[in-house]
Amino acid sequence: MAILVIAEHDNASLKSATLNAVTAAAKIGGDIHVLVVGAGCGAAAEAAAKIAGVAKVKVADAAHYADQTAENIAALVVANAAGYSHIVAPATTGGKNFLPRVAALLDVAQISDHAALSAILTRHGH
């Protein structure tokens, strides 16, 4: 099954934490898809497509994602969660803000700040 990594970026470039999250996802195994959410985030999406091991990049580029609020990102991630065995986000303030919301909405467990895996949401049985 595929793994969904949520990119952290400033719309122009990816944050290094995204690379760490992709590396962690690769250790789990499976196709890695990266979701880039923002406004005018095409450059960040292009950078995500160049990361070794990334099979697919999904882009949500719209004005209401400009501030990358936890509520908007969580709703989008939940809407795209089907078919993913794991959802991975960097263990940063941003990831720690929206990932618990995703876990609650999907009624699944979350593992946070695991040394090798950043923040991972497992979807066992879903």
Side-chain angles (χ1 to χ4, degrees), residues 4-7 33-37 56-60 76-77 80:
L4 181 63
V5 175
I6 313 306
H33 298 178
V34 176
L35 176 60
V36 179
V37 183
K56 183 177 187 178
V57 175
K58 294 182 166 193
V59 181
L76 181 65
V77 171
N80 285 276

Side-chain angles (χ1 to χ4, degrees), residues 7-15 18 34-51 57-59 61 68:
E8 187 162 319
H9 59 89
D10 63 5
N11 290 314
S13 61
L14 293 176
K15 303 287 184 176
T18 300
V34 176
L35 176 60
V36 179
V37 183
C41 59
E46 288 177 19
K50 294 177 183 175
I51 299 172
V57 175
K58 294 182 166 193
V59 181
D61 190 335
Q68 299 179 24

Side-chain angles (χ1 to χ4, degrees), residues 6-108:
I6 313 306
E8 187 162 319
H9 59 89
D10 63 5
N11 290 314
S13 61
L14 293 176
K15 303 287 184 176
S16 62
T18 300
L19 302 176
N20 296 339
V22 169
T23 299
K27 291 178 182 180
I28 297 168
D31 285 344
I32 300 171
H33 298 178
V34 176
L35 176 60
V36 179
V37 183
C41 59
E46 288 177 19
K50 294 177 183 175
I51 299 172
V54 171
K56 183 177 187 178
V57 175
K58 294 182 166 193
V59 181
D61 190 335
H64 61 279
Y65 295 129
D67 294 329
Q68 299 179 24
T69 63
E71 295 81 7
N72 285 345
I73 293 174
L76 181 65
V77 171
V78 168
N80 285 276
Y84 291 104
S85 63
H86 296 77
I87 298 171
V88 180
T92 60
T93 303
K96 291 177 185 179
N97 195 9
F98 75 82
L99 205 60
R101 298 166 197 265
V102 172
L105 291 168
L106 293 175
D107 192 26
V108 295

